[in-house]
């Protein structure tokens, strides 16, 4: 078994999952092994393979077997990580105790990076809070026991919750003031606001919320502040916040609808929704909730960083998944201490979906109740998980049911529209897309949100063959959001495909690429625009780059094959076309065209007016 040197791990994101899989060591498969050792080795190899495939549940099962049959520092450490990532809190707690109970076990963590080395202590602190033992939680959260600055920053918030539980508001507040120099303090105002709210100190709570509105997790701060204003009978001030949530159209849109419904500002919502809005719980209800909120907020910041930092390219998805292991671990800790933590449950579901673990994702979102502000997006994630399990019909059924249950949520129609389009059920999709637009417009959504609905219906209409009506929708979307790269690229590409308005289309795609220079789909569009204009040398340059960014995209690969062919590089063209046949996203129509080209039917490839091609 070849072991990759530890310094090479940085190439792949260098977080827990790849540290354990690419840099781990274990017993080999030598001929001298006895039956029991072979079983241990087999379980290890199964776990390692599952980890490399980012199969969290399979890796957890295999490494637990390794730890059971052949306990040791590294085995316990590995079993702990995967138990925590898979949400097996009892097993994670057991392994965490083993990891921190001996010097050898703690030394085994020396290869770990950042907060992952402190996860055993954070796990046991969480278990102590869950078991109503804040004093024990505080012992695990002592600064000299934590190694990374991120862990110590998080521990400030966790200690404040534990001290509030054990000694009251003053002790909890002092913990937020006693912070060593150099630590991240961006979430302290928000934690202080919720702590003051629990303690019945409205003046301090408002100061904290106002400060938190300019810090990370400002959306959570805005929702907490709006709920605070409602409770203080300052409904007019809360209206502005709730209205902005609706207009944004994102994750907090349902919270805005619920708030405005409670305040009597938003009319037209059905009876069921109104009842649920009245029963919406506060974000934090007790010390456990405060503890969970800190974990969930740190998890969310890590998740956002993982999504944004990895960019595009062939290894981007692998790096992104590796970077999500620690956020998943923190989200699961939040779920352990506060099972009703909607933020933690939703975030865990998102990450499990990235790891292709639909059962775990479904379990997480099904913990989110209809009275939650996140219920709409929980239904969207549940439908995604059903589809990932291979049941598109179940996904469609879930979305139709959710739309019937809450017809005022346009996001449900947006996703159902996309799901039906993927199944080429164009008439149904168009009807749903129109319903989604009507629901979005009924909420007076700002252009920053409304464009998505016209964009989605327009793209669907073009796919369905109703080109002009699709173009009209895309032009409307562009009018609403003139600097949105997705619109610029799709509209420009659509014109290029039809050979219409090529100069304007070229300009739109160039503008989209300037906004997202490493987006392979946009690079492909620009290459294809050059191709349609007959600039073959330029087309090849851009399409080669697009394939390097998105090597598994069948359409981009086919485009490069066509450009090579016109450039006279016929052997390379055949290679790219042949590669299309093995790509997962190649649909039947594309495969038919590619096979025809491989069989010599290439008369339709040459664009009109081609110039600059090599022969």
């Amino acid at each position: 078994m070849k072991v990759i040197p530890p310094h090479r791990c940085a190439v792949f994101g260098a977080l827990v999952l790849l540290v354990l899989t690419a840099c781990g060591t274990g017993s080999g498969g030598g001929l001298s092994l006895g039956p029991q050792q072979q079983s241990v080795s087999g379980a290890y190899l199964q776990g390692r393979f599952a980890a490399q495939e980012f199969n969290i549940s399979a890796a957890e099962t295999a490494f637990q077997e390794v730890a059971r049959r052949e306990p040791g520092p590294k085995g316990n450490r590995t079993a702990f990580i995967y138990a925590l990532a898979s949400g097996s809190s009892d097993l994670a707690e057991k392994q965490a105790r083993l990891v921190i109970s001996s010097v050898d076990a703690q030394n085994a963590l020396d290869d770990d990076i950042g907060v992952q080395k402190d996860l055993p202590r954070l796990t046991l602190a969480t278990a102590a809070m869950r078991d109503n033992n804040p004093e024990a939680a505080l012992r695990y959260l002592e600064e000299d026991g934590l190694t990374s600055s991120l862990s110590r920053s998080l521990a400030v918030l966790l200690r404040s919750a534990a001290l509030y539980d054990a000694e009251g508001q003053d002790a909890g507040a002092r913990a937020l003031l006693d912070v060593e120099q150099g630590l991240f303090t961006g979430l302290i105002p928000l934690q202080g606001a919720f702590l003051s709210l629990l303690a019945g100190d409205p003046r301090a709570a408002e100061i904290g919320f106002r400060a938190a509105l300019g810090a990370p997790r400002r959306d959570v701060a805005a929702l907490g502040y709006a709920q605070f204003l409602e409770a203080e009978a300052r409904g007019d001030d809360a209206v502005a916040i709730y209205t902005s949530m609706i207009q944004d159209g994102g994750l907090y849109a349902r919270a805005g609808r619920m708030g405005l419904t409670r305040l009597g500002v938003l009319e037209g919502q059905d009876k069921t929704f109104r009842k649920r809005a009245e029963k919406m719980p506060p974000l934090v209800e007790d010390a456990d909730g405060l503890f969970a909120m800190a974990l969930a907020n740190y998890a969310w910041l890590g998740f956002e960083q993982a999504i944004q930092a990895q960019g595009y390219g062939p290894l981007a998805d692998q790096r992104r998944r590796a970077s999500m292991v620690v956020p998943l671990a923190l989200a699961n800790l939040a779920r352990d201490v506060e099972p009703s933590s909607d933020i933690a449950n939703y975030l865990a579901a998102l990450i499990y979906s990235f790891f292709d673990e639909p059962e775990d994702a479904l379990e997480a979102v099904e913990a989110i109740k209809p009275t939650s502000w996140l219920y709409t997006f929980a239904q969207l994630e549940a439908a995604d998980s059903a589809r990932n399990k291979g049941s598109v019909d179940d996904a469609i059924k879930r979305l139709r049911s959710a739309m019937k249950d809450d017809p005022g949520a346009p996001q449900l129609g947006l996703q159902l529209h996309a799901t039906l389009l993927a199944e080429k059920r164009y008439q149904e999709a168009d009807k749903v897309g129109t319903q989604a637009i009507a629901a979005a417009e009924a909420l007076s959504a700002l252009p920053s949100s409304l464009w998505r609905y016209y964009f989605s219906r327009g793209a669907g209409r073009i796919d369905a063959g109703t080109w002009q009506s699709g173009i009209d929708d895309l032009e409307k979307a562009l009018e609403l959001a003139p600097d949105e790269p997705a619109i610029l690229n799709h509209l420009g590409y659509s014109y290029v495909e039809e050979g219409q308005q090529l100069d304007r289309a070229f300009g739109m795609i160039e503008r989209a690429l300037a906004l997202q220079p490493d987006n392979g789909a946009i690079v492909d569009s620009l290459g294809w625009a050059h191709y349609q204009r007959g600039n073959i040398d330029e087309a090849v340059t851009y399409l080669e780059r697009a394939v390097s960014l998105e090597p598994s995209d069948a359409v981009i690969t086919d485009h490069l094959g066509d450009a090579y062919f016109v450039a006279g590089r016929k052997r390379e063209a055949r290679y790219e076309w042949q590669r299309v046949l093995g790509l997962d996203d190649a649909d039947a129509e594309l495969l038919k065209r590619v096979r025809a080209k491989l069989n010599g039917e290439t008369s339709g490839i040459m664009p009109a007016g081609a110039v600059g091609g090599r022969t």
Side-chain angles (χ1 to χ4, degrees):
M1 178 178 66
K2 183 178 180 180
V3 178
I4 301 175
H7 66 275
R8 293 285 301 279
C9 290
V11 176
F12 300 99
L15 280 170
V16 162
L17 194 67
L18 293 183
V19 170
L20 294 177
T21 58
C23 301
T25 59
S27 55
L31 295 177
S32 63
L33 296 177
Q36 183 180 9
Q37 289 174 304
Q38 287 180 11
S39 177
V40 171
S41 178
Y44 172 79
L45 292 174
Q46 286 178 351
R48 194 167 185 266
F49 176 77
Q52 288 170 335
E53 294 296 311
F54 297 97
N55 187 332
I56 297 293
S57 58
E60 190 262 337
T61 300
F63 284 126
Q64 286 296 335
E65 182 66 12
V66 172
R68 186 182 70 83
R69 289 178 174 270
E70 194 174 272
K74 286 189 178 293
N76 290 335
R77 185 270 308 264
T78 308
F80 159 72
I81 288 292
Y82 285 101
L84 186 56
S86 67
S88 301
S89 58
D90 290 342
L91 285 172
E93 182 182 349
K94 175 184 176 182
Q95 296 292 347
R97 294 189 187 282
L98 292 173
V99 167
I100 69 172
S101 64
S102 71
V103 174
D104 288 341
Q106 292 186 60
N107 289 340
L109 297 174
D110 287 344
D111 291 336
D112 285 350
I113 299 171
V115 70
Q116 58 193 287
K117 187 169 183 178
D118 297 318
L119 282 174
R121 284 189 172 276
L122 295 175
T123 297
L124 295 180
T126 299
M129 280 295 292
R130 179 201 64 209
D131 296 338
N132 299 314
N133 190 350
E135 293 83 3
L138 289 167
R139 289 195 293 273
Y140 288 118
L141 294 170
E142 291 176 352
E143 287 183 6
D144 57 2
L146 300 172
T147 60
S148 78
S149 61
L150 179 60
S151 301
R152 294 197 298 275
S153 299
L154 172 58
V156 170
L157 308 187
L158 300 181
R159 282 198 297 271
S160 75
L163 282 167
Y164 167 73
D165 196 20
E167 302 177 26
Q169 179 188 11
D170 289 345
R174 282 196 301 272
L176 296 176
L177 298 175
D178 184 20
V179 181
E180 66 177 280
Q181 189 173 2
L183 293 186
F184 171 66
T185 60
L187 292 176
I188 285 179
L190 183 59
Q191 187 81 355
F194 283 123
L195 189 153
S196 299
L197 201 59
L198 290 178
D201 187 345
R203 182 174 178 277
E206 181 158 18
I207 292 171
F209 280 127
R210 284 185 173 275
L213 290 173
R217 302 297 285 143
R218 58 180 58 89
D219 289 338
V220 176
L223 179 52
Y225 188 34
Q227 287 186 320
F228 164 79
L229 292 170
E230 269 195 87
E232 293 292 302
R234 294 164 59 185
D236 290 345
D237 294 329
V239 165
I241 299 175
Y242 287 135
T243 300
S244 68
M245 291 176 180
I246 286 183
Q247 291 173 338
D248 178 66
L251 201 60
Y252 293 79
R254 181 180 173 90
R257 288 174 58 217
M258 295 176 97
L260 293 182
T261 298
R262 285 193 303 272
L263 293 169
V265 175
L266 185 63
E267 299 179 352
Q269 303 302 299
D270 65 23
K271 182 178 179 180
T272 299
F273 181 80
R274 292 199 304 270
K275 287 183 176 180
R276 290 172 178 174
E278 293 294 338
K279 295 179 180 179
M280 177 182 165
L283 288 176
V284 173
E285 298 186 82
D286 54 25
D288 284 355
L290 188 63
F291 196 95
M293 178 62 77
L295 289 165
N297 282 335
Y298 265 79
W300 198 278
L301 291 178
F303 172 75
E304 288 181 334
Q305 184 178 21
I307 290 291
Q308 297 168 4
Q310 307 306 331
Y312 303 92
L315 292 178
D317 189 54
Q318 188 179 37
R319 292 194 301 268
R320 191 171 290 112
R321 290 187 180 194
S323 299
M324 287 184 184
V325 176
V326 168
L328 177 59
L330 295 178
N332 280 337
L333 289 179
R335 296 168 70 203
D336 185 30
V337 72
E338 185 58 80
S340 63
S341 172
D342 292 335
I343 295 175
N345 278 307
Y346 181 70
L347 178 57
L350 290 181
I351 301 177
Y352 280 131
S353 291
F354 270 96
F355 287 135
D356 297 322
E357 300 277 2
E359 295 285 358
D360 289 329
L362 273 172
E363 181 184 356
V365 293
E366 286 174 353
I368 298 175
K369 296 179 173 59
T371 54
S372 168
W373 60 278
L374 266 171
Y375 185 69
T376 296
F377 277 84
Q379 301 315 296
L380 296 177
E381 189 57 37
D384 269 348
S385 298
R387 189 175 57 216
N388 292 338
K389 287 175 63 179
S391 180
V392 176
D393 288 341
D394 185 27
I396 292 172
K397 181 179 178 181
R398 285 174 179 269
L399 288 169
R400 288 196 186 280
S401 176
M403 284 185 69
K404 184 177 179 180
D405 182 57
D406 186 5
Q411 299 87 355
L412 296 167
L414 192 66
Q415 181 153 326
L416 179 56
H417 176 264
T419 305
L420 291 168
L421 279 182
E423 296 299 299
K424 301 187 184 302
R425 293 162 63 170
Y426 295 119
Q427 288 186 340
E428 294 175 74
D430 196 71
K431 181 179 178 180
V432 170
T434 300
Q435 291 172 340
I437 289 174
E441 290 180 331
L443 294 174
S444 302
L446 287 179
S448 60
S449 172
L450 188 57
W451 71 264
R452 293 180 174 88
Y453 297 88
Y454 281 101
F455 175 80
S456 180
R457 189 177 69 175
R461 287 178 169 178
I462 288 175
D463 285 347
T466 54
W467 191 82
Q468 188 57 56
S469 62
I471 287 294
D472 291 343
D473 272 352
L474 293 180
E475 291 282 10
K476 175 65 174 179
L478 185 64
E479 177 187 331
L480 294 168
D483 294 318
E484 175 54 48
I487 306 171
L488 290 164
N489 179 54
H490 203 98
L491 182 57
Y493 183 85
S494 298
Y495 278 127
V496 166
E497 282 281 87
E498 293 295 315
Q500 296 190 22
Q501 300 192 35
L502 289 182
D503 288 341
R504 179 172 175 243
F506 197 90
M508 284 191 284
I509 298 170
E510 284 188 317
R511 189 145 55 99
L513 188 60
L515 293 166
Q516 290 186 350
D518 294 322
N519 187 316
I522 300 177
V523 176
D524 168 69
S525 295
L526 187 54
W528 198 238
H530 276 296
Y531 178 89
Q532 293 288 358
R533 299 179 84 182
N535 303 328
I536 304 305
D537 288 340
E538 289 88 347
V540 166
T541 298
Y542 281 108
L543 292 172
E544 285 178 336
R545 182 167 175 243
V547 167
S548 72
L549 290 168
E550 299 290 347
S552 299
D553 189 294
V555 171
I556 296 176
T557 304
D558 178 51
H559 285 172
L560 179 58
D562 287 2
Y564 277 152
F565 184 86
V566 175
R569 298 163 62 175
K570 296 183 179 180
R571 181 178 298 176
E572 292 164 282
R574 290 188 63 83
Y575 173 80
E576 297 299 331
W577 290 333
Q578 192 68 47
R579 203 166 67 81
V580 170
L581 302 181
L583 295 177
D584 292 338
D585 71 335
D587 62 25
E589 184 178 344
L590 176 59
L591 292 174
K592 181 180 178 181
R593 293 201 308 268
V594 168
R595 290 191 180 102
K597 287 183 281 194
L598 287 169
N599 289 331
E601 299 175 24
T602 57
S603 59
I605 293 179
M606 180 73 70
V611 295
R614 294 180 291 278
T615 59

